[in-house]
Amino acid sequence: MSSEQGSATLEGTGLDPDDAVMGPTGRPLREFPEPAPLSSHGPARVIAMVNQKGGVGKTTSTINLAAALAEYGRRVLLVDFDPQGALSAGLGTNPHELDLTVYNVLMDRKVDIRDAIQKTGVENVDLLPANIDLSAAEVQLVNEVAREQVLDRALKKVEDDYDVVLIDCQPSLGLLTVNALTAAHGVIIPLICEFFALRAVALLVETIDKVQDRLNPRLQVDGVLATMYDARTLHGREVIARLVEAFGDKVFETVIKRSIKFADATVAAEPITSYAGNHAGADAYRRLAKELISRGGAP
């Protein structure tokens, strides 16, 4: 499978492999076109950012991909679906001071999702925040009818207001993550370039397959995103090679390199695109946004 996918990738570029500059994924570097402006907004394409392993750059990627998509005129809703509230905090919101969060939207039908959505400091990006209350939802939803579809029902009410909805999932494969996968059209799997991270992916793919089979037939894997990549190490290069071997064209050509600038931007509660707009990390997320749009993963 992998050799066929690899050759298809080379053919798809229209480049002579001998002349092409090779990217970190071992494929010729392509320039993705500047996304055309949208004449109207909605209905949104919902993407779940999922990996049951923590510390893989999931929240960082969610914030920065959203900001990059917004730069191209896309309206984005970020859904914080992790009780730790890292996404909310990363956008300058104090999760502990919130009256309405995604928890209230899930558990109380009288709460309108629009009342819980907040504006952020990033133009075209809104936030549905979360805090520790969300951890109770996993237990309380167990007795609900159609418990896997609660988030999907809530998002349906605002799908025409946005072009893309990005759900930052908690690092687990529990009921909350299943809710996110049931609501989603696509999945992006951020994966740190370490062998231990690779081992965890098989279980995640199995969960995605089950949700696709039983709850959400439209669900597809939009791509695997290699994060915290260090080209100077043989280990990093080997992990990328293994990723491409396992997932073929599903691996994004855009690779996010390790940089302290991401941590600095998080402390400043800003996406890197505004905190350090000329940094290579900001360019990488802009390239990822262009790649996602050109693949059909976002309008």
Side-chain angles (χ1 to χ4, degrees), residues 1 31 37 42 53 61 65 67 79 81-82 99 108 112 118 123 133 142 148 161 187 197 216 224 248 256 262 289:
M1 181 181 95
E31 275 307 311
K53 189 179 187 307
S61 292
L65 175 57
V79 179
F81 221 45
D82 184 345
D99 293 325
D108 186 348
D112 189 326
Q118 302 181 350
E123 190 180 355
D133 294 347
V142 168
E148 301 91 356
D161 301 344
V187 181
N216 183 6
V224 178
I256 310 301
F262 290 120

Side-chain angles (χ1 to χ4, degrees), residues 13 86 144 229 282:
T13 61
E144 289 282 320
Y229 174 62

Side-chain angles (χ1 to χ4, degrees), residues 6-22:
S7 60
T9 311
L10 291 173
E11 288 164 19
T13 61
L15 297 169
D16 183 337
D18 297 330
D19 299 335
V21 177
M22 303 305 275

